[in-house]
Amino acid sequence: MAAVLTAALAGTALTGCGAQAGQADGAPVTGLRIMVPNAPGGGYDVTARSAAKAMEDGGLARNVEVFNLPGAGGTVGLARVVSEEGNGSLLMSMGLGVVGASFTNESAATLADTTPIARLTEEPDVIVVPADSEYGDFEQLLDAWREDPGGVPVGGGSSPGGPDHLAPMLTAAAAGIEPQDVNYIPYDGGGELLAAVLGGQVEFGVSGAAEYADQIEAGELRVLAVTSAEPVPGLDALTLRDHGLDVDFTNWRGLVAPPGLSEEDEQALRDLVDRFHESEEWQQTLETNGWTDAYLTGDEFGTFLQEETDRVESVLGSLGLV
């Protein structure tokens, strides 16, 4: 991790003028970069690229650069953002996974060190198997998992402490399985997890519902259950509660910026996100991806981040995972 972080910090220098430029006169923003702290194909990646496209299609920004800086469950990217103090041209796509990874990777940098910009979306996780899986329904999977937790490996697109880890751990606990006995295999984002599920490296996978919409529609994956309190429109799957497990779990994603921004740059970023959130392009993106609009900005988002940090620490502690 140290080597990756050193290389990351030695990369291209960023300047803090892009987001503010163009805001005063209504011209499109230029020079904005959005960092994705995991590999291409995951939820943070899809969210960042969808946001950039909505900004550009709506004429709010030009040539937004989205780049990936994976490592340590997102905490390599988090350290990079924190090191870019005062840079008003940088955003990081993030979410619940980074909160958990900051604990499990004992990260010196935390989300409390960043500038909160906005929470954007919320979505449940899904429990999926490949189309040719021996498990025809969730009850069959659950029976096998209870009988041999270590012999039924589950994969997730986040490091320990992230949403794709917390969801199966909470499911296991509700089903009477000791979380410490669960064989959880982390992957760096939904893209790597998909390959593992389809390749039979894990018995089942847990990830965001929207990430695998295409594979589900194409019949490559089957959804056995969803983690939300209510069924997900368009998915032929019961909730965990329908299966008798007291689990109601949703993931969220948002944007943060480096610390130490000028008032002008911070307001410019928030204004930009406000404008693209209200745009027809972004509303269509929400509908297309099946994301729930969970918009929350500024100090309210900062308070939410602290509450989530406290909640994740408590859950990880109760599960004996930190």
Side-chain angles (χ1 to χ4, degrees):
M1 176 178 173
V4 173
L5 180 56
T6 300
L9 294 177
T12 304
L14 304 174
T15 58
C17 61
Q20 188 176 349
Q23 287 292 299
D25 58 7
V29 167
T30 59
L32 182 65
R33 306 180 80 203
I34 305 178
M35 179 201 302
V36 177
N38 60 11
Y44 298 153
D45 189 67
V46 174
T47 301
R49 296 181 190 280
S50 297
K53 187 175 187 303
M55 292 177 189
E56 293 176 347
D57 290 351
L60 305 175
R62 283 203 307 266
N63 301 321
V64 178
E65 179 188 355
V66 179
F67 67 102
N68 298 79
L69 184 60
T75 55
V76 169
L78 177 60
R80 169 69 176 269
V81 167
V82 172
S83 76
E84 293 284 349
E85 184 171 355
N87 184 353
S89 293
L90 179 65
L91 290 170
M92 183 176 80
S93 177
M94 49 70 70
L96 183 57
V98 178
V99 177
S102 66
F103 286 107
T104 56
N105 287 285
E106 299 181 351
S107 173
T110 70
L111 288 168
D113 299 321
T114 67
T115 300
I117 300 300
R119 183 184 67 186
L120 297 175
T121 65
E122 187 177 61
E123 68 169 335
D125 270 2
V126 289
I127 295 174
V128 296
V129 294
D132 59 356
S133 170
E134 64 181 286
Y135 305 114
D137 57 37
F138 180 72
E139 295 300 333
Q140 291 180 2
L141 172 63
L142 189 57
D143 288 343
W145 202 21
R146 280 174 169 149
E147 183 176 344
D148 184 11
V152 183
V154 50
S158 59
S159 65
D164 297 351
H165 174 246
L166 292 175
M169 290 301 174
L170 291 171
T171 301
I177 301 169
E178 288 293 333
Q180 294 89 338
D181 295 336
V182 172
N183 182 9
Y184 176 79
I185 302 177
Y187 294 90
D188 196 0
E192 291 186 7
L193 173 62
L194 176 63
V197 173
L198 293 177
Q201 298 171 37
V202 293
E203 291 294 315
F204 66 104
V206 179
S207 193
E211 290 187 55
Y212 295 150
D214 292 342
Q215 290 76 22
I216 294 167
E217 185 176 355
E220 298 174 12
L221 294 176
R222 285 190 288 114
V223 182
L224 300 188
V226 297
T227 65
S228 53
E230 300 294 333
V232 176
L235 291 182
D236 184 19
L238 298 175
T239 69
L240 292 174
R241 285 188 171 180
D242 290 332
H243 288 286
L245 303 182
D246 187 17
V247 178
D248 175 7
F249 180 87
T250 55
N251 185 21
W252 56 267
R253 300 189 184 98
L255 299 168
V256 296
L261 300 188
S262 68
E263 290 185 9
E264 293 79 10
D265 279 350
E266 183 175 344
Q267 191 60 51
L269 286 172
R270 289 179 176 173
D271 287 346
L272 173 63
V273 175
D274 271 341
R275 292 170 67 196
F276 101 76
H277 168 258
E278 295 170 1
S279 70
E280 181 179 340
E281 289 78 10
W282 180 249
Q283 295 305 312
Q284 183 59 53
T285 296
L286 293 175
E287 181 177 346
T288 300
N289 289 293
W291 292 336
T292 298
D293 189 351
Y295 197 55
L296 193 67
T297 61
D299 293 341
E300 290 183 338
F301 180 42
T303 299
F304 171 79
L305 284 179
Q306 186 57 57
E307 291 172 348
E308 285 292 272
T309 298
D310 294 342
R311 181 174 75 97
V312 168
E313 183 177 22
S314 175
V315 170
L316 291 175
S318 68
L319 295 176
L321 300 174
V322 295

